[in-house]
């Protein structure tokens, strides 16, 4: 089965934000940052919230967590997307029983299924991890009607995945 795809920055950015902020640690960190920003802000607006000293540090740290970290993630994603030409290329994936062949405009690669670290299916994406940090990104819509065939192949190959077997 052959799949063609090309990443767009806006969709890539949504994926980066999703991967960055939708895990338990980051959700806790974000909620802590919101609390650290809002509670001191309420104190400065005149609400009776007892502090020994004015909570400037808490306000600054909360502001950093809530506003600056997402901005830094944006610029990091933009720099990564613009500096890695392969992310912007039209890429063809050829999934066979033995291998995954990946062909871009400037590169060719072939991986054995046994070398795949993990495959993760999200609402709009399929992520093929070569390691914990390196992944190939495919729009799910690129599969069209072949998505079921792909799911069956992944399950058949016993790759670590979140794809469930249809019964």
């Amino acid at each position: 089965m052959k799949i063609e795809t090309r990443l767009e920055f806006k969709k890539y950015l949504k994926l980066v934000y999703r991967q960055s902020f939708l895990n338990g640690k980051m959700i806790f960190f974000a909620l802590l940052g919101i609390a650290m920003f809002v509670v001191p802000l309420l104190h400065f607006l005149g609400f009776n919230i007892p502090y020994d000293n004015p909570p400037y540090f808490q306000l600054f740290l909360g502001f950093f967590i809530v506003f600056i970290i997402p901005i830094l993630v944006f610029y990091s994603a933009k720099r990564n997307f613009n500096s890695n030409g392969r992310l912007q290329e039209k890429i063809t994936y050829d999934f066979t029983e033995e291998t995954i062949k990946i062909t871009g405009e400037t590169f060719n690669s072939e991986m054995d299924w046994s070398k795949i670290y993990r495959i993760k299916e999200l609402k709009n994406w399929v992520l093929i991890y070569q390691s914990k940090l390196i992944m190939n990104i495919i729009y799910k819509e690129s599969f069209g009607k072949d998505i079921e065939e792909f799911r069956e192949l992944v399950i058949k190959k016993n790759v670590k995945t979140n794809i469930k077997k249809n019964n």
Side-chain angles (χ1 to χ4, degrees), residues 88-133:
Q88 302 169 44
E89 293 182 18
K90 179 178 163 186
I91 299 175
T92 303
Y93 294 87
D94 187 7
F95 300 99
T96 68
E97 289 287 329
E98 297 79 33
T99 62
I100 300 173
K101 295 176 185 168
I102 305 168
T103 307
E105 296 165 0
T106 61
F107 69 94
N108 290 314
S109 178
E110 189 171 334
M111 294 182 288
D112 187 75
W113 282 98
S114 64
K115 301 299 180 195
I116 300 298
Y117 175 75
R118 172 176 203 192
I119 295 180
K120 194 173 186 181
E121 183 178 353
L122 306 174
K123 179 180 175 186
N124 297 314
W125 302 92
V126 172
L127 309 176
I128 301 173
Y129 286 84
Q130 297 175 32
S131 68
K132 282 186 175 186
L133 299 175

Side-chain angles (χ1 to χ4, degrees), residues 1-15:
M1 133 186 40
K2 283 192 179 196
I3 306 299
E4 287 187 356
T5 189
R6 181 187 298 264
L7 285 178
E8 298 169 14
F9 177 69
K10 281 186 175 184
K11 291 181 179 180
Y12 173 74
L13 181 62
K14 285 181 183 180
L15 177 64

Side-chain angles (χ1 to χ4, degrees), residues 60-162:
F60 173 76
L61 187 59
F63 178 83
F64 183 81
I65 292 170
V66 171
F67 296 105
I68 304 300
I69 289 178
I71 291 170
L72 292 174
V73 169
F74 171 83
Y75 282 109
S76 176
K78 186 174 184 178
R79 184 180 63 241
N80 187 38
F81 187 81
N82 289 333
S83 68
N84 188 344
R86 291 182 177 179
L87 285 176
Q88 302 169 44
E89 293 182 18
K90 179 178 163 186
I91 299 175
T92 303
Y93 294 87
D94 187 7
F95 300 99
T96 68
E97 289 287 329
E98 297 79 33
T99 62
I100 300 173
K101 295 176 185 168
I102 305 168
T103 307
E105 296 165 0
T106 61
F107 69 94
N108 290 314
S109 178
E110 189 171 334
M111 294 182 288
D112 187 75
W113 282 98
S114 64
K115 301 299 180 195
I116 300 298
Y117 175 75
R118 172 176 203 192
I119 295 180
K120 194 173 186 181
E121 183 178 353
L122 306 174
K123 179 180 175 186
N124 297 314
W125 302 92
V126 172
L127 309 176
I128 301 173
Y129 286 84
Q130 297 175 32
S131 68
K132 282 186 175 186
L133 299 175
I134 299 171
M135 68 181 152
N136 295 82
I137 304 167
I138 305 173
Y139 293 133
K140 197 188 271 186
E141 64 192 29
S142 299
F143 284 93
K145 296 175 184 174
D146 292 332
I147 190 68
E148 283 302 322
E149 182 182 344
F150 174 75
R151 289 175 181 146
E152 289 172 13
L153 183 59
V154 169
I155 291 168
K156 183 177 171 183
K157 291 300 178 183
N158 290 321
V159 176
K160 182 178 175 185
T161 185
N162 66 337

